[in-house]
Amino acid sequence: MATFLYKIGRFAFRRRHFVALIWVALLTLAGVGAASAPTAGSSSFSIPGTEAQKAFDLLESRYPGMSADGATARVVFRAPSGEKMSAAANKAAVKKTVKALGDGSEVTSVTDPFKTHSLSKDGAIAYTQVRYDVSGMELKDASKDALNEAAQEARDTGLTVEVGGDALQAAPETGSTEVIGIAVAAVVLVITFGSLIAAGLPLLTALIGVGIGVSTIAALAKALDLGSTTSTLAMMIGLAVGIDYALFIVSRYRAELAEGREREEAAGRAVGTAGSAVVFAGLTVVIALVGLAVVNIPMLTKMGVAAAGTVAIAVLIALTMIPALLGYTGRMVQPAGQKSKLLGGGRAAKKPARPNMGTRWASFVVRRPVAVLLLGVVGLGAAAVPATSLELGLPDDGSQPTSTTQRRAYDLLSDGFGPGFNGPLMVVVDAKSSTHPKAAVTKVTDTVKDLKGVVSVTPATYNKAGDTAMITVVPDSKPSSVKTEDLVHAIRDAGGDIKAGTDAEVLVTGTTAMNIDFSQKLNDALVPYLALVVGLAFLLLIVVFRSVLVPLKAALGFLLSVMAALGAVVAVFQWGWLAGLMGVEETGPIMSMMPIFMVGVVFGLAMDYEVFLVTRMREAYVHGEKPAQAIVTGFKHGARVVTAAAVIMIAVFSGFIGSSESMIKMIGFGLAIAVFFDAFVVRMAIVPAVLALLGKRAWWLPKWLDRALPNVDVEGEGLRAHDSDRPKDGDADEDRKLARV
């Protein structure tokens, strides 16, 4: 592996014009494809294998033209204080609004609240429901403007009017904090390298990689049904790993220069050693992201594969474009220990009077491993405590900020019709196999009415064939409550008895039931997913480190950091701690996909630091150092760079906390805090403490397994044959050659 990558690094350095041209061409091609591709809407949401999805598919086939996946809007009216909606002026204003709403080209139906009796008991609140033939993200701006204008005209008559539903759905905005995150990354790179040019290389290559990845996603979004969230997550992860991977190779390049090697040789060795770590770190991230496919939720699978593709591009760019750009920079990238003229006059830095911070910290941990280990484990355990009260759910208008019209509409409907009105259940009765379809539907209606927690049951709506019926059930509890979930299970249990007596199948669907099934499917898939991802990565790390205990320790450390991160997410987004600081206006259940998505991404990122840091220790141990000294050597060369990489990744992820999309905000915070816990507590404290306690046993591998495993040579042993390439009197000749390029 090291020798192969070494050759790639030298080739890219020598043929830099060709390599740079290839990547620029790919970026241009992806950009043109994105610009010419049709605009994609929101990704279709389906959960194969669930009852709610089965019912939804049944409605699509039995009620053709229904546009079950079309956008909806609820326009809610409240009369002025002391008045009722039935007053002549108020009624006229509502009817005028209904007529205006029905004139839209994408509107399929509009209900009249006075004909459908959509009035609250006190008569002060009414609502009309608007259905469209396209999804919320596909609605034309003209349709959204017409909806808002109709609502405003009704407000001008003195009514309180708010609009809920997904018709006003907008693409998520990340806000200015994303730019701040990149700026912080730039500052960290300048401090780390002491050079603007060296600092700019990781940023430039990361942006090119993300540009190719995100543009490709945009170009394929319509064809592959990719939502806007997919590209945002790919950008988040691709930017973070792209900067980190390039950072490690540039850092190793400068270290090789400091040892006196010529620049082409230094580039080859940097790619051969640090590049090997990049490949295996990238593989762990890709495995974790692609592994999301085991959940069997198409939307989650697409998000994972798209993000994995961006990570793969980041790896390829780090291995090829970084050495190519280093070929262009020449002496502008100084050896380690030297600064640029702008930041340090180009002079070699004075040798420190004492070892660097990484060496001092590692020496302390090696002397006090038990104390450091206990402190780290107890600290992460305390942070993980809130995770024991984790509540899962999917956001609705009730989780929107109170400043939005969607949230105000939600609250008005709750006040006028009860909390369950915002999350009605749709009961579908498939009576095609029943000898008396209408009798079966009547039995279902009567049975559901008698269940605890039901406020109302609407009369059945039959299809043209009369063999399928829809019944709307309004619970007495809010959509995300445990009581509503219990009611869904109660209806399904009752449906089993009804089928036995009538041959009619009872299915429960609707947004609330879909959310319940979605959460359950994710919970059921978590253990198999963990087993698959951790198992594959464990085998991969055995090959990298040629050890059994080091990969085991890496996996256990990951579990600590991810549990602590979930605890922090619960504390902020569910309990409300520091919610104002994070811009969280409304607390509530944690997004259902958050735990499994976080497990996948954090595992991949955690293994990055494990590979980069421990590979240096392994390299020192293989070259003859004692276990304790190898730990110190690994920190001497790797701690500064790993720290910089972690700070950069935290800054990039934190930038997405400013997103208007609650899922992006939550994932940005979760990944940032997880990287903090994993990099600075697990990898910087717990890992060296455990390795110090294990000693030589840390690198133990059964002989039969050692013979069976392929030798990937991450440590670069195969590069010793090239030591004769080191010049004795510097690299002046090489620099003169580069000056003529």
Side-chain angles (χ1 to χ4, degrees):
M1 171 69 78
T3 303
F4 173 71
L5 293 178
Y6 166 82
K7 293 178 181 178
I8 288 179
R10 295 198 63 161
F11 172 83
F13 188 95
R14 289 194 307 271
R15 301 289 184 264
R16 44 191 170 275
H17 302 312
F18 172 74
V19 173
L21 182 63
I22 290 293
W23 284 113
V24 170
L26 288 175
L27 178 62
T28 304
L29 184 64
V32 171
S36 59
T39 303
S42 57
S43 179
S44 59
F45 185 74
S46 63
I47 319 173
T50 62
E51 181 175 314
Q53 185 64 45
K54 182 180 178 182
F56 185 84
D57 295 339
L58 183 67
L59 290 175
E60 288 281 300
S61 62
R62 301 285 175 87
Y63 293 81
M66 181 181 173
S67 297
D69 59 345
T72 60
R74 275 180 172 175
V75 183
V76 188
F77 308 89
R78 185 175 67 186
S81 180
E83 297 184 17
K84 294 183 180 295
M85 289 303 304
S86 56
N90 297 335
K91 190 172 184 178
V94 171
K95 285 188 172 292
K96 182 179 179 182
T97 302
V98 170
K99 184 178 184 303
L101 291 171
D103 292 337
S105 60
E106 296 178 307
V107 175
T108 58
S109 66
V110 182
T111 61
D112 185 333
F114 300 102
K115 293 181 180 179
T116 58
H117 306 291
S118 303
L119 298 168
S120 60
K121 289 183 179 180
D122 61 3
I125 299 175
Y127 74 91
T128 178
Q129 184 153 298
V130 187
R131 290 189 177 275
Y132 298 87
D133 57 8
V134 293
S135 67
M137 289 295 290
E138 295 172 317
L139 266 184
K140 296 178 182 177
D141 290 338
S143 296
K144 295 181 180 181
D145 292 342
L147 179 60
N148 287 321
E149 288 171 5
Q152 186 57 49
E153 289 180 5
R155 290 189 191 103
D156 294 340
T157 66
L159 296 174
T160 298
V161 184
E162 305 295 348
V163 183
D166 60 353
L168 295 182
Q169 182 179 1
E173 299 175 358
T174 55
S176 60
T177 51
E178 179 190 348
V179 179
I180 295 173
I182 296 176
V184 171
V187 172
V188 173
L189 287 168
V190 171
I191 294 173
T192 302
F193 290 136
S195 166
L196 293 176
I197 299 297
L201 294 181
L203 282 175
L204 175 62
T205 54
L207 290 173
I208 290 174
V210 168
I212 294 173
V214 173
S215 296
T216 302
I217 291 171
L220 300 175
K222 189 72 174 180
L224 301 181
D225 190 25
L226 304 176
S228 56
T229 304
T230 302
S231 59
T232 305
L233 292 173
M235 180 192 303
M236 180 193 302
I237 297 168
L239 193 59
V241 300
I243 294 174
D244 275 10
Y245 294 164
L247 165 64
F248 282 103
I249 291 180
V250 173
S251 178
R252 188 59 182 256
Y253 171 76
R254 296 178 73 234
E256 296 292 338
L257 287 180
E259 293 185 10
R261 292 189 172 89
E262 63 170 323
R263 296 187 179 274
E264 182 179 327
E265 176 69 10
R269 284 177 172 271
V271 176
T273 52
S276 297
V278 165
V279 169
F280 284 101
L283 275 176
T284 59
V285 180
V286 169
I287 287 172
L289 291 170
V290 174
L292 291 169
V294 303
V295 183
N296 194 27
I297 295 178
M299 180 183 70
L300 202 57
T301 300
K302 292 171 185 176
M303 288 166 58
V305 172
T310 307
V311 171
I313 292 172
V315 171
L316 293 174
I317 282 187
L319 297 177
T320 57
M321 194 169 187
I322 283 292
L325 293 179
L326 289 172
Y328 284 115
T329 58
R331 291 182 62 86
M332 289 185 287
V333 175
Q334 300 287 347
Q338 294 185 19
K339 296 182 180 180
S340 66
K341 291 183 178 181
L342 180 62
L343 298 176
R347 300 183 302 273
K350 293 181 180 179
K351 292 185 178 180
R354 56 177 182 168
N356 63 22
M357 180 65 75
T359 302
R360 298 199 303 274
W361 170 250
S363 299
F364 170 78
V365 174
V366 168
R367 291 195 305 270
R368 301 283 187 273
V370 176
V372 172
L373 179 60
L374 288 176
L375 186 61
V377 171
V378 171
L380 291 179
V385 168
T388 58
S389 63
L390 176 68
E391 295 178 9
L392 298 177
L394 286 178
D396 54 21
D397 285 346
S399 62
Q400 296 270 9
T402 53
S403 58
T404 62
T405 186
Q406 292 96 325
R407 173 59 187 273
R408 291 196 292 264
Y410 181 97
D411 291 339
L412 281 176
L413 290 171
S414 295
D415 293 341
F417 302 92
F421 193 78
N422 283 293
L425 306 175
M426 183 178 292
V427 178
V428 181
V429 184
D430 181 6
K432 193 171 186 178
S433 301
S434 178
T435 53
H436 302 288
K438 290 192 175 181
V441 172
T442 301
K443 184 174 182 180
V444 171
T445 303
D446 294 340
T447 301
V448 173
K449 282 181 179 178
D450 294 336
L451 293 175
K452 182 180 179 182
V454 174
V455 172
S456 64
V457 179
T458 63
T461 302
Y462 291 89
N463 65 339
K464 288 184 178 180
D467 57 9
T468 308
M470 291 188 301
I471 303 168
T472 302
V473 179
V474 177
D476 65 1
S477 51
K478 62 181 182 179
S480 58
S481 69
V482 176
K483 288 182 64 179
T484 302
E485 183 176 349
D486 292 340
L487 177 59
V488 170
H489 293 311
I491 296 174
R492 288 172 173 171
D493 292 341
D497 298 333
I498 293 172
K499 184 176 182 179
T502 64
D503 290 328
E505 187 174 10
V506 180
L507 305 169
V508 184
T509 190
T511 302
T512 302
M514 288 282 275
N515 290 350
I516 292 170
D517 288 353
F518 183 68
S519 298
Q520 186 61 50
K521 192 174 182 67
L522 288 172
N523 288 339
D524 293 343
L526 185 57
V527 173
Y529 175 69
L530 267 175
L532 173 69
V533 172
V534 176
L536 288 176
F538 180 78
L539 295 175
L540 187 65
L541 292 179
I542 288 179
V543 174
V544 174
F545 297 125
R546 308 197 76 79
S547 164
V548 174
L549 295 180
V550 171
L552 179 62
K553 171 263 309 166
L556 294 177
F558 151 73
L559 292 176
L560 275 175
S561 58
V562 79
M563 288 303 298
L566 278 176
V569 169
V570 170
V572 173
F573 291 89
Q574 187 175 309
W575 292 1
W577 294 3
L578 302 177
L581 181 64
M582 298 296 167
V584 180
E585 296 188 34
E586 294 296 323
T587 60
I590 303 304
M591 209 117 14
S592 297
M593 70 174 67
M594 182 68 186
I596 198 164
F597 187 83
M598 192 169 170
V599 163
V601 176
V602 172
F603 182 79
L605 299 179
M607 294 306 104
D608 278 4
Y609 301 113
E610 181 75 16
V611 170
F612 288 129
L613 193 59
V614 180
T615 296
R616 271 290 199 172
M617 300 178 193
R618 169 75 181 172
E619 186 176 339
Y621 178 76
V622 167
H623 291 166
E625 293 187 8
K626 293 182 179 180
Q629 184 56 40
I631 295 171
V632 176
T633 301
F635 269 77
K636 176 184 177 181
H637 294 292
R640 178 182 175 88
V641 180
V642 168
T643 299
V647 172
I648 288 169
M649 199 170 277
I650 291 169
V652 171
F653 288 146
S654 296
F656 289 85
I657 296 176
S659 174
S660 61
E661 177 70 36
S662 58
M663 184 177 74
I664 300 296
K665 180 190 291 287
M666 191 179 294
I667 289 178
F669 172 80
L671 294 182
I673 198 69
V675 169
F676 174 79
F677 286 145
D678 195 83
F680 294 110
V681 181
V682 175
R683 309 304 154 188
M684 289 289 186
I686 293 177
V687 165
V690 172
L691 290 177
L693 291 172
L694 290 175
K696 289 185 177 180
R697 290 169 294 180
W699 308 108
W700 171 79
L701 186 69
K703 291 183 179 179
W704 64 268
L705 185 57
D706 187 35
R707 291 191 297 269
L709 292 177
N711 182 15
V712 296
D713 189 22
V714 176
E715 300 83 19
E717 275 293 298
L719 300 183
R720 284 180 173 266
H722 301 276
D723 279 343
S724 58
D725 292 336
R726 178 195 284 191
K728 295 181 179 180
D729 53 356
D731 54 1
D733 292 338
E734 175 66 18
D735 289 334
R736 282 194 293 271
K737 293 177 185 177
L738 291 172
R740 294 195 295 268
V741 174

